[in-house]
Amino acid sequence: MRLVNVVKPTHICNLACEYCYNDDVRKPIMSDATLRNVIAKTIDYANATPVVKDIDFIWHGGEPTVAGIDFFARAIQYQSECDPRATVTNHLQTNGTLLNKKWIRFLKRHDFKISLSLDGPQEINDTYRVTRAGIGTFDKVMSSIELLKLGGFPVGICLVLSKANIHRVEEIYDFLVSHELGFNVIPMTMSGAARDRYQDLGINADEYADAWIRMYDRWFESRAAYTYCQDFVLKTRAILYGKPADCISMANCANFNLSVDPVGDVYSCASLSGNLAARLGNIDENSIGGILDGQRGREFRARDVDAQCAKCKWQHVCHGGCLSRAYKFHGSVHTRDFYCPGLFRIYEHIECRLAERGIHAGHPHPWHLSDGLDPSVLPVTRKISSALRVIPIQSI
């Protein structure tokens, strides 16, 4: 089991993306005392929980690099002073615009996993991913990607689906393939700046499914023109094995996922950060176990089964979809994800595509041809089986 702590050193960001989900207007950078508590208490909780074999610290924001290299050097130092039983991995989710050679050397020295935010080719990306002066970010992000590649990093991309790009997903996929960029794909959520622009920029469940399916088919049918997509791999694995494979589909995602904001407030998900009604506690005042066992912690860890979910064909691999999106759109974790109808269509589509290749849901074939499996299935199964350990890619 993986324990994931999405740590937000600051909510400050040097960009002004029009669909940003950040709800927190506070501007501090995390104090040294809080940083120490985040590291020590996360590792203490993992050490006391035998099923936890891996700890992922995902450094997020805002823009986490605003906190500076010295902040992250202290984080590495504090990790080294603890005695983790589990394997500790650091991930940086960044907009990429502040990276330079000094950052690259530091991140390489300490084996960070890197994900950047990019919405496709320049014309698409620069529609909404802009600086505070309204300047597009594409050139700077691509420059940082090249620096990372020269440094030997496998680079992941976070791609947000909005009205700006849902009709051009094939073009976006081909662009990512041409630059050898693995990616994750997520729809806009109803919070932060995006709340005010949702009518103009947001997509509904069917638009999400339409775009996702078209891009998935490009990926599924690819031979040479292939790149890794976390969401495609995990959702396909879910159908293959008949159980959830990503955090948004788990019945109890809040058991092993948490997020700590710049002032030490703890949430069950990074996208809830700054929403005080969803605050579970504070890392400076309590242990992680104490926070999760508190009244609010128990509420977010015991999501009710929606009546419609209970009858759904895909309830066992979906569990109502993303808990935080349910909260953002509907004000409660005890309901279905806003994108639920789209998720249903997505799972149905994956089942059909696998059936075309002789693979049936819940009954995965072994990855060989000894049983006479159609050779055309191999590109698909290799995509899934080669990605057993995935790098978490979060939204920004």
Side-chain angles (χ1 to χ4, degrees):
M1 181 68 69
R2 310 186 77 85
L3 173 63
V4 178
N5 191 345
V6 182
V7 186
K8 300 196 169 195
T10 183
H11 282 134
I12 297 170
C13 187
N14 59 317
L15 301 187
C17 303
E18 295 191 38
Y19 57 61
C20 179
Y21 73 86
N22 182 28
D23 263 325
D24 198 339
V25 297
R26 298 171 296 173
K27 299 298 183 184
I29 291 176
M30 183 178 286
S31 71
D32 191 67
T34 298
L35 176 60
R36 279 182 179 270
N37 280 331
V38 168
I39 299 296
K41 292 185 179 184
T42 300
I43 292 174
D44 285 347
Y45 181 73
N47 285 347
T49 311
V51 296
V52 174
K53 305 301 182 184
D54 296 277
I55 304 169
D56 289 315
F57 287 100
I58 302 179
W59 302 95
H60 205 293
E63 171 47 42
T65 58
V66 167
I69 289 179
D70 288 347
F71 176 93
F72 288 93
R74 293 196 301 274
I76 297 298
Q77 176 188 335
Y78 300 153
Q79 289 174 358
S80 71
E81 293 171 356
C82 297
D83 186 22
R85 179 184 47 76
T87 300
V88 174
T89 306
N90 288 289
H91 308 259
L92 181 69
Q93 172 63 51
T94 173
N95 62 40
T97 60
L98 300 179
L99 294 182
N100 53 33
K101 291 181 179 178
K102 184 178 180 181
W103 268 109
I104 302 300
R105 287 193 297 270
F106 172 83
L107 296 169
K108 185 69 173 179
R109 186 182 315 124
H110 298 291
D111 197 27
F112 274 70
K113 312 302 179 186
I114 312 296
S115 176
L116 292 87
S117 298
L118 187 72
D119 285 351
Q122 185 163 15
E123 178 190 352
I124 299 172
N125 180 82
D126 287 355
T127 302
Y128 298 127
R129 295 198 62 80
V130 297
T131 68
R132 297 191 179 279
I135 300 171
T137 60
F138 179 86
D139 287 339
K140 178 55 182 170
V141 175
M142 292 303 295
S143 176
S144 294
I145 287 171
E146 290 308 308
L147 280 177
L148 287 165
K149 286 184 174 181
L150 288 172
F153 286 91
V155 182
I157 295 298
C158 181
L159 167 70
V160 177
L161 291 177
S162 70
K163 278 191 167 65
N165 58 13
I166 56 173
H167 301 298
R168 300 175 67 176
V169 290
E170 294 90 352
E171 177 185 349
I172 293 170
Y173 181 82
D174 292 345
F175 167 82
L176 295 172
V177 168
S178 69
H179 289 277
E180 299 180 323
L181 295 172
F183 68 104
N184 194 25
V185 56
I186 59 172
M188 275 181 61
T189 194
M190 177 78 80
S191 63
R195 184 181 292 107
D196 297 331
R197 297 296 311 278
Y198 205 86
Q199 185 172 352
D200 299 325
L201 309 183
I203 56 177
N204 62 36
D206 280 329
E207 289 172 322
Y208 165 51
D210 288 342
W212 196 99
I213 286 168
R214 285 172 25 236
M215 187 177 276
Y216 179 85
D217 283 346
R218 196 79 154 198
W219 173 85
F220 188 90
E221 295 165 0
S222 64
R223 296 297 188 267
Y226 166 75
T227 193
Y228 172 80
C229 175
Q230 176 173 295
D231 203 36
F232 297 164
V233 167
L234 295 186
K235 283 184 168 54
T236 305
R237 284 173 59 194
I239 301 306
L240 282 168
Y241 290 100
K243 59 183 180 181
D246 55 6
C247 69
I248 71 166
S249 61
M250 292 180 180
N252 56 350
C253 68
N255 281 346
F256 294 98
N257 290 272
L258 66 147
S259 181
V260 184
D261 77 2
V263 298
D265 286 342
V266 178
Y267 299 85
S268 61
C269 179
S271 64
L272 295 175
S273 183
N275 190 324
L276 296 182
R279 176 183 177 273
L280 306 185
N282 188 280
I283 200 75
D284 293 327
E285 300 168 359
N286 204 342
S287 67
I288 289 176
I291 291 169
L292 295 181
D293 286 337
Q295 180 179 352
R296 185 63 58 82
R298 291 195 303 271
E299 177 186 349
F300 275 78
R301 293 167 61 205
R303 188 181 187 184
D304 293 339
V305 177
D306 182 279
Q308 183 169 331
C309 286
K311 298 180 289 186
C312 177
K313 172 183 177 181
W314 298 113
Q315 194 273 343
H316 63 296
V317 299
C318 180
H319 297 101
C322 179
L323 174 148
S324 68
R325 288 200 300 247
Y327 191 88
K328 290 285 189 177
F329 281 93
H330 305 302
S332 171
V333 300
H334 304 297
T335 187
R336 288 173 286 126
D337 188 339
F338 171 78
Y339 291 107
C340 168
L343 291 169
F344 182 88
R345 287 182 53 201
I346 284 168
Y347 291 130
E348 288 282 288
H349 185 78
I350 294 171
E351 180 188 41
C352 289
R353 295 311 314 261
L354 291 174
E356 291 171 10
R357 306 294 178 90
I359 304 174
H360 301 289
H363 303 284
H365 283 275
W367 310 129
H368 53 71
L369 292 176
S370 62
D371 59 353
L373 189 65
D374 181 349
S376 68
V377 80
L378 281 180
V380 178
T381 57
R382 283 174 180 156
K383 292 170 191 176
I384 309 305
S385 60
S386 66
L388 296 178
R389 190 177 191 279
V390 295
I391 298 173
I393 303 177
Q394 299 288 323
S395 62
I396 192 168

